[in-house]
Amino acid sequence: MLRSSASFILDKHLNNKPISITHSIDSPPPPSTSMADENSNPNPNPNPISAYYQTRAAHHGIVTSGWLEQAQAAVRRYPDHDYSSSPDSRRPFSVIEEFNNWRQQPDLAEAVAAIRALAAVIRASEATTMMELEIELKKASDTLKAWDTTSISLTAGCDLFMRYVTRTSALEFEDFNSAKSRVLERAEKFGEISCKARRMIAMLSQDFIFDGCTILVHGFSRVVFEILKTAAQNKKLFRVLCTEGRPDKTGVMLANELAKLDVPVKLLIDSAVAYSMDEVDMVFVGADGVVESGGIINMMGTYQIALVAHGMNKPVYVAAESYKFARLYPLDQKDLEPALRPIDFDVPVLPKVDVERSARDYTPPQYLTLLFTDLGVLTPSVVSDELIQLYL
Amino acid sequence: MESRRNPRAVVDPKVRQVGFFTSSQPDSTQQQQPDPIASVSSPPVSTISPSGNSLSPVMIPPPRHNSSDTFPLRGAAAAAASAVSPSSFSYSSRRDFPDGSMTASPGRVSRGSFVKSYVPVASSLPGVGIDSMAAAKSSSVPATGLTTVSVVNMPPGLSEEVQSDQKNNSKSLKEKTTKAERRALQEAQRAAKAAAKAEGGGKVPPVTLGSVAGTSVKAAKTAKPTSQKNDVVVAAGPSEKKGGPSEKDRKKDAPHPRMQYDDESRVVKAKRRAVVKQTEAKNRVELFRHLPQYEHGTQLPDLETKFFQLDPMHPAVYKVGLQYLSGDIAGGNARCIAMLQAFQEVVKDYSTPPEKTLNRDMTAKISSYVSFLIECRPLSVSMGNAIRFVKNRIAKLPITLSESEAKAALQSDIETFINEKIIVADNVIVKHAVTKIRDGDVLLTYGSPTAVEMVLLRAHELRKKFRVLVVDSRPKLEGQLLLRRLIKRGINCTYTHINAISYIMHEVTKVFLGASSVLSNGTVYSRVGTACVAMVANAFRVPVLVCCEAYKFHERVQLDSICSNELGDPNAISKVRGREDINYLDGLTNNTNLQFLNLMYDATPSDYISMIITDYGMVPPTSVPVIVREYQKEHVLV
């Protein structure tokens, strides 16, 4: 399957089975040991390619030759790092393992996998007091967060889970076991909610897609795809303009997927957004993270699309699950931890040339019209309200 | 309001009569006391009145020049008094005693001299035009050099006469057989006794403030319709009535925190009951007539002298009030903490009067203190919230608690408030804000916001490399203080005035501002000039970060800085201290064509604010109502 989860690829690497990734263009598979090392380490990866990007690339099955070279170079640069002796491996239960298990499920978002893994932590816990359990949970979530510091949804999902599970009056039980089962119940519930979030967003957004409309989408967002798929199933008549989504060409994938559903689709290069904005009725984008201001952090290019759309008075809709709400508040583009990615320019680039390799940008809330979340259709300013209520 | 007050004025004489006859007898036995008191009290006259540029507290000009009713009569009374004789001089000074009559004498003596001090003016004009004349004089005080009320400004002979008259006023009074004079004498004795008691016991006798304020009200009221002679008797009367109107009355009478000062009747009313006799500035800008504007610095000596008069006022509260008035305590947090600490003292020294419950009586007491503080300086939103917290806590005290327990609980509550909502909140803000400072930043700040200062110092401690631009403005020049402290720590600073803001803004990477309060539409209410800085920053696409503790948030919505604001001293902008060469406006301050507007605050629309950093984290201005909601919920529940 095209949208096979990253974990498939990663796990295959783990099993030392060199696989040929169908979409990677004539690139040799990476030396499996290096990949395994990189991905099984519980610590933030010191190499210049962020774990965020690796995950993302793996999710979309796109591994460019440049990336592979960089990855290998990175491993060569830190040859003495031995991640196998991590504290997790000594324990019978590893949250990372669990996390990776969950991630093997296709279509399961990273954050949801993390939430499931944390629920499993509670289940497997041998703690005898609530405090102990909470500490154990905290440790597990920290491990998960450290696994990929650049992923906003992973961090946010872990935080929200901790909040949702531990901040409850159910903890007032005198009996530990009943309290634990209550917490587990909540954890399962949270996992369920998160799982169904995408479906719910798709339902909510149907009212906004009218017959004959033209929708511009950017990159490949599984939520946006779900929305469009649902709309197509509902026999809505609409047209989709897909941006190319350089450099990992995620837009091309989306265009292909939509074509399979018989949705009229047109592919644009990323720089043609302003050119074709005239014929666009609405813009749909996904989000890696929704920050406190109500703005979003998303794949590079979202900001400029939002700016163009704002300039032409077109609505910009964001589809994002509520576990992507993060307590972050970037003031500007540089106020983020950059998630770097390799960029494959077709022509050789001299080393003197500096390349902007950030994988995502920040779109301020004033350029967004509405956010479709599983909490409902929100204006950007409500995000902060929800966050305050969740965290305070 | 009017209908309720009028009957009281009618009823009062009766009460006064009763008081007069019953209480006068025992006091008359102590005839010897006035002498020592008079001699004791004379030093304060010499020390206090020349020190500040005080004006007669009696001389409150009306909000507008044409609308006074109390004034001409008072002026006329004084004029008449001046026309009589030295003895009637002391007489007329007695007439004014009720303003602070149950009191130690310093206030009284200076009060007497006040009256005399403007006698020359009064007598120079026939009674009709006195009002405007007096008003003019009051506003022109600093300009004309009539900075002290005292004896200095009187004709020399006259003043000596007055002094000597005061020295042996008891004797001269004894010779007189007028009823009023006898009464005045008894008055003095009673005051002496009260003062002695206050000094000896160290505890404030539970005489209400209301009585003092109330009597002055009545004095003014009754003064109107009567002739001079009657005026004396009647006015002297009400002070007899001890513990008359309680704090409750005072609370009812207290000016609304956002009273509209262009509503004449209300202003006159508020004036009458005010403890702090502020002198109103004369030429006010039309748009801001609804705000109180006073000549600053005029009322301080008067209040200082009243220190021993205001028996019901707790000394700690009084001290804080004076500090507000003189500007010694400025800045939202400092003012709030000072007030709360004063309240702690109040709680500590509090004892429930018999037949009363702590919850109710204490609330009334706090209210009366608050109205005093309002008279000193309009409350800030932060103080309003703190007061609401204190009152809420008092009201929620379980009835079952004993008095000492309740007091201890209250004190610790207030302590917790100071700690959690202000001190810890500031630390949290610093923690959040520091994450936004990166190496190579150029940070701009305006004025001297305490939270921002803490942020900058902390960032410096963390060895972040940044530069600070301190923007300042006349007349307060608070930025210089900040600058001093920053430089002392070795932070690289640039200092400029707000005039240069558009020039320097292009090199700024972040703007950090403080706030007096944040309103629920995200408007930031802060030191005047903040809006300008924020707008320029917005135009230059520089993020504006506002550091503000959540206890300063208010659910009010304000769209402009007109409807609620504070007016500063107009003289502060009309002249530059120490620069005689550029004081072009000398002598023009009285010109009716010239109005000074010295605003203290302005409202910055939320569009210009990128982020508000509070103890609840970093939130967009649109989330203020959420915090207000949560915060108040917390208040109610906890």
Side-chain angles (χ1 to χ4, degrees):
Chain A
M1 190 180 173
L2 179 70
R3 286 172 293 105
S4 62
S5 161
S7 29
F8 274 133
I9 301 164
L10 299 179
D11 289 337
K12 277 170 191 161
H13 289 318
L14 280 169
N15 298 337
N16 285 343
K17 279 182 213 153
I19 51 146
S20 65
I21 300 159
T22 46
H23 300 280
S24 63
I25 315 106
D26 63 49
S27 66
S32 53
T33 47
S34 74
M35 283 306 293
D37 273 354
E38 256 173 55
N39 288 300
S40 63
N41 84 67
N43 303 318
N45 203 327
N47 79 23
I49 308 167
S50 70
Y52 159 77
Y53 183 71
Q54 291 174 26
T55 315
R56 197 184 162 82
H59 267 261
H60 301 307
I62 288 183
V63 180
T64 59
S65 51
W67 172 51
L68 291 172
E69 278 159 25
Q70 288 206 16
Q72 286 162 19
V75 173
R76 254 176 265 125
R77 224 176 299 151
Y78 307 97
D80 51 344
H81 277 226
D82 184 16
Y83 299 116
S84 58
S85 64
S86 65
D88 282 327
S89 59
R90 271 180 273 121
R91 290 203 318 222
F93 177 83
S94 159
V95 68
I96 296 289
E97 259 169 45
E98 183 71 24
F99 175 54
N100 282 331
N101 274 340
W102 279 107
R103 288 202 317 157
Q104 286 177 18
Q105 282 193 20
D107 276 348
L108 198 62
E110 206 180 24
V112 181
I115 288 162
R116 296 287 194 187
L118 286 175
V121 170
I122 300 177
R123 213 175 293 120
S125 163
E126 285 152 9
T128 48
T129 62
M130 265 340 263
M131 207 59 209
E132 215 175 315
L133 182 64
E134 208 170 320
I135 290 167
E136 206 168 301
L137 207 54
K138 180 91 181 61
K139 221 163 157 187
S141 104
D142 284 346
T143 322
L144 272 183
K145 281 195 268 182
W147 184 80
D148 181 0
T149 46
T150 45
S151 167
I152 296 163
S153 62
L154 180 63
T155 312
C158 287
D159 284 349
L160 281 173
F161 178 85
M162 291 295 288
R163 288 280 158 177
Y164 186 81
V165 169
T166 56
R167 290 288 171 100
T168 162
S169 55
L171 297 182
E172 307 302 322
F173 282 107
E174 63 279 2
D175 178 19
F176 171 71
N177 281 330
S178 62
K180 188 179 165 185
S181 65
R182 189 61 178 269
V183 167
L184 202 55
E185 208 174 279
R186 266 182 91 76
E188 298 288 341
K189 198 174 151 212
F190 190 69
E192 286 294 303
I193 293 171
S194 308
C195 244
K196 287 180 182 152
R198 207 174 288 161
R199 192 73 224 128
M200 193 151 164
I201 293 167
M203 299 304 293
L204 281 171
S205 58
Q206 293 308 306
D207 292 343
F208 292 82
I209 298 172
F210 50 90
D211 277 344
C213 67
T214 305
I215 301 169
L216 178 74
V217 294
H218 180 60
F220 191 115
S221 157
R222 279 173 293 185
V223 198
V224 171
F225 179 65
E226 182 84 23
I227 290 171
L228 297 178
K229 199 164 84 180
T230 313
Q233 282 163 359
N234 289 349
K235 308 263 184 282
K236 301 223 181 217
L237 299 172
F238 61 98
R239 202 158 69 96
V240 179
L241 302 185
C242 283
T243 58
E244 185 191 7
R246 283 267 299 152
D248 36 8
K249 304 204 175 61
T250 45
V252 184
M253 290 161 48
L254 181 65
N256 288 339
E257 285 295 306
L258 288 170
K260 281 185 203 161
L261 297 169
D262 292 331
V263 175
V265 59
K266 189 182 188 182
L267 203 57
L268 311 171
I269 53 169
D270 291 329
S271 40
V273 167
Y275 170 81
S276 25
M277 191 56 84
D278 256 348
E279 48 182 311
V280 168
D281 290 311
M282 65 190 77
V283 177
F284 264 104
V285 289
D288 286 338
V290 181
V291 297
E292 191 135 15
S293 61
I296 56 164
I297 294 169
N298 196 27
M299 182 187 155
M300 184 63 88
T302 308
Y303 181 36
Q304 66 192 21
I305 289 176
L307 272 176
V308 170
H310 183 78
M312 296 201 185
N313 282 332
K314 310 285 181 185
V316 179
Y317 299 131
V318 177
E321 300 91 331
S322 64
Y323 56 74
K324 285 176 176 170
F325 287 14
R327 289 219 88 186
L328 288 173
Y329 202 135
L331 284 168
D332 48 36
Q333 303 300 329
K334 300 281 155 24
D335 204 8
L336 289 169
E337 194 179 334
L340 298 181
R341 69 172 170 195
I343 297 173
D344 183 22
F345 297 97
D346 292 336
V347 285
V349 177
L350 290 179
K352 272 185 193 169
V353 178
D354 199 12
V355 177
E356 174 62 65
R357 297 188 305 139
S358 181
R360 49 192 189 193
D361 60 16
Y362 163 62
T363 310
Q366 59 262 40
Y367 303 114
L368 306 177
T369 314
L370 287 174
L371 291 140
F372 299 147
T373 73
D374 45 319
L375 304 170
V377 180
L378 314 176
T379 60
S381 61
V382 183
V383 174
S384 167
D385 300 13
E386 295 291 343
L387 278 170
I388 288 170
Q389 279 173 358
L390 278 168
Y391 280 94
L392 297 182
Chain B
M1 199 70 183
E2 193 66 55
S3 58
R4 215 187 63 233
R5 289 191 51 82
N6 271 339
R8 218 200 288 170
V10 176
V11 167
D12 274 333
K14 213 194 283 170
V15 181
R16 171 181 49 79
Q17 282 291 357
V18 171
F20 179 76
F21 287 117
T22 50
S23 61
S24 63
Q25 298 314 317
D27 279 337
S28 58
T29 53
Q30 304 175 334
Q31 296 260 339
Q32 314 88 309
Q33 284 223 346
D35 259 338
I37 289 296
S39 59
V40 162
S41 62
S42 48
V45 177
S46 55
T47 53
I48 290 164
S49 41
S51 68
N53 46 351
S54 57
L55 223 119
S56 167
V58 191
M59 227 164 66
I60 315 144
R64 315 223 178 157
H65 325 304
N66 54 354
S67 71
S68 167
D69 40 3
T70 53
F71 224 145
L73 271 167
R74 296 201 134 207
S82 75
V84 196
S85 66
S87 62
S88 82
F89 242 122
S90 71
Y91 197 89
S92 87
S93 72
R94 286 276 157 241
R95 179 188 66 83
D96 263 53
F97 282 176
D99 282 9
S101 42
M102 329 193 144
T103 74
S105 351
R108 162 179 316 184
V109 174
S110 64
R111 185 60 62 79
S113 66
F114 284 164
V115 171
K116 277 158 235 149
S117 73
Y118 78 88
V119 160
V121 179
S123 54
S124 70
L125 268 162
V128 187
I130 274 179
D131 160 33
S132 64
M133 179 61 191
K137 192 187 164 198
S138 73
S139 59
S140 72
V141 165
T144 53
L146 180 66
T147 46
T148 57
V149 175
S150 55
V151 220
V152 184
N153 285 318
M154 289 185 232
L158 191 57
S159 73
E160 276 162 30
E161 219 166 25
V162 167
Q163 292 283 33
S164 63
D165 180 37
Q166 259 160 14
K167 283 250 161 71
N168 48 24
N169 58 359
S170 62
K171 272 175 224 157
S172 68
L173 278 170
K174 240 179 261 176
E175 285 158 29
K176 297 262 166 193
T177 51
T178 327
K179 211 174 175 186
E181 276 172 356
R182 257 189 280 129
R183 242 212 34 53
L185 184 63
Q186 287 155 7
E187 200 44 46
Q189 290 153 359
R190 198 164 304 122
K193 224 164 75 176
K197 200 164 65 179
E199 273 166 22
K203 206 156 190 191
V204 183
V207 183
T208 59
L209 173 63
S211 67
V212 173
T215 47
S216 69
V217 171
K218 256 122 260 163
K221 262 238 143 81
T222 43
K224 261 188 278 176
T226 49
S227 73
Q228 191 230 332
K229 188 113 186 179
N230 266 347
D231 181 21
V232 173
V233 179
V234 174
S239 59
E240 204 72 9
K241 176 184 56 141
K242 255 194 183 162
S246 61
E247 282 109 355
K248 229 187 202 166
D249 291 326
R250 173 150 177 83
K251 187 178 144 204
K252 276 183 210 142
D253 289 351
H256 188 267
R258 276 184 294 145
M259 194 180 87
Q260 301 293 295
Y261 279 76
D262 50 354
D263 184 342
E264 285 169 28
S265 61
R266 273 164 198 251
V267 170
V268 170
K269 249 183 271 168
K271 274 287 135 62
R272 287 194 203 124
R273 63 180 90 93
V275 178
V276 188
K277 304 283 182 190
Q278 303 232 41
T279 319
E280 256 187 68
K282 203 178 85 176
N283 292 340
R284 288 191 290 172
V285 177
E286 184 62 44
L287 210 51
F288 292 92
R289 283 249 165 96
H290 60 288
L291 301 172
Q293 179 166 28
Y294 302 114
E295 305 252 337
H296 281 233
T298 51
Q299 62 286 346
L300 191 56
D302 174 45
L303 266 183
E304 274 169 0
T305 55
K306 268 199 208 161
F307 187 82
F308 298 103
Q309 282 181 342
L310 297 164
D311 287 337
M313 192 59 65
H314 193 281
V317 176
Y318 198 80
K319 188 177 142 205
V320 169
L322 287 185
Q323 281 168 326
Y324 289 168
L325 205 52
S326 61
D328 287 347
I329 296 185
N333 285 347
R335 275 168 75 194
C336 194
I337 291 177
M339 182 189 71
L340 286 174
Q341 281 170 343
F343 284 168
Q344 270 186 314
E345 288 292 309
V346 168
V347 170
K348 201 174 89 189
D349 296 344
Y350 178 82
S351 62
T352 318
E355 316 269 318
K356 284 190 176 171
T357 56
L358 181 132
N359 297 21
R360 298 195 174 246
D361 186 57
M362 179 98 87
T363 314
K365 224 173 172 75
I366 295 282
S367 301
S368 77
Y369 294 153
V370 168
S371 63
F372 167 75
L373 293 178
I374 293 176
E375 283 160 20
C376 292
R377 192 179 159 185
L379 289 187
S380 65
V381 169
S382 55
M383 289 162 73
N385 283 346
I387 290 164
R388 193 153 56 162
F389 166 82
V390 171
K391 285 190 179 171
N392 200 1
R393 278 310 163 91
I394 296 174
K396 293 247 158 71
L397 281 175
I399 293 275
T400 49
L401 283 186
S402 75
E403 188 177 308
S404 59
E405 281 171 334
K407 278 162 66 177
L410 265 184
Q411 274 176 288
S412 77
D413 276 349
I414 296 177
E415 189 67 45
T416 319
F417 187 92
I418 295 176
N419 273 330
E420 282 183 7
K421 298 295 176 201
I422 304 178
I423 294 168
V424 174
D426 270 335
N427 293 339
V428 176
I429 288 173
V430 168
K431 205 182 85 202
H432 285 300
V434 157
T435 62
K436 289 291 161 205
I437 299 180
R438 285 187 310 225
D439 281 355
D441 265 349
V442 180
L443 310 175
L444 183 143
T445 186
Y446 174 71
S448 173
T450 46
V452 173
E453 184 183 338
M454 290 165 74
V455 171
L456 297 177
L457 294 180
R458 179 83 189 116
H460 185 65
E461 276 171 26
L462 295 174
R463 302 190 184 276
K464 302 212 180 199
K465 294 191 176 39
F466 62 95
R467 209 150 62 79
V468 179
L469 271 167
V470 179
V471 177
D472 208 352
S473 74
R474 284 225 345 110
K476 291 216 165 204
L477 298 178
E478 292 161 308
Q480 295 185 350
L481 281 172
L482 173 70
L483 197 64
R484 223 188 150 71
R485 291 190 288 257
L486 291 183
I487 287 172
K488 214 193 275 170
R489 300 292 190 91
I491 299 175
N492 187 358
C493 293
T494 307
Y495 178 77
T496 182
H497 271 208
I498 195 166
N499 320 22
I501 188 92
S502 64
Y503 170 73
I504 49 156
M505 192 55 88
H506 71 89
E507 58 181 285
V508 175
T509 56
K510 274 171 198 105
V511 175
F512 277 89
L513 297 173
S516 169
S517 78
V518 178
L519 310 178
S520 71
N521 58 345
T523 301
V524 171
Y525 187 67
S526 186
R527 163 77 55 230
V528 68
T530 304
C532 173
V533 173
M535 284 176 196
V536 174
N538 184 263
F540 280 78
R541 301 260 155 216
V542 177
V544 177
L545 295 86
V546 174
C547 299
C548 182
E549 300 84 359
Y551 84 104
K552 290 179 178 173
F553 286 16
H554 200 272
E555 71 268 13
R556 199 164 78 207
V557 167
Q558 202 172 315
L559 300 173
D560 53 42
S561 34
I562 298 168
C563 58
S564 169
N565 211 319
E566 196 179 326
L567 295 178
D569 182 8
N571 287 323
I573 52 170
S574 66
K575 54 175 77 175
V576 183
R577 233 169 263 281
R579 286 291 302 276
E580 293 308 317
D581 52 327
I582 55 162
N583 279 337
Y584 305 116
L585 294 178
D586 274 356
L588 284 178
T589 38
N590 270 335
N591 197 317
T592 43
N593 290 328
L594 176 61
Q595 293 147 356
F596 290 108
L597 178 62
N598 182 10
L599 278 180
M600 301 284 272
Y601 296 101
D602 63 15
T604 310
S606 61
D607 305 354
Y608 304 117
I609 313 286
S610 322
M611 174 196 288
I612 296 175
I613 305 178
T614 77
D615 27 335
Y616 294 103
M618 296 176 280
V619 298
T622 49
S623 288
V624 175
V626 187
I627 296 211
V628 168
R629 198 172 64 214
E630 301 293 313
Y631 182 62
Q632 266 151 15
K633 205 197 289 169
E634 185 182 310
H635 261 237
V636 174
L637 292 178
V638 174

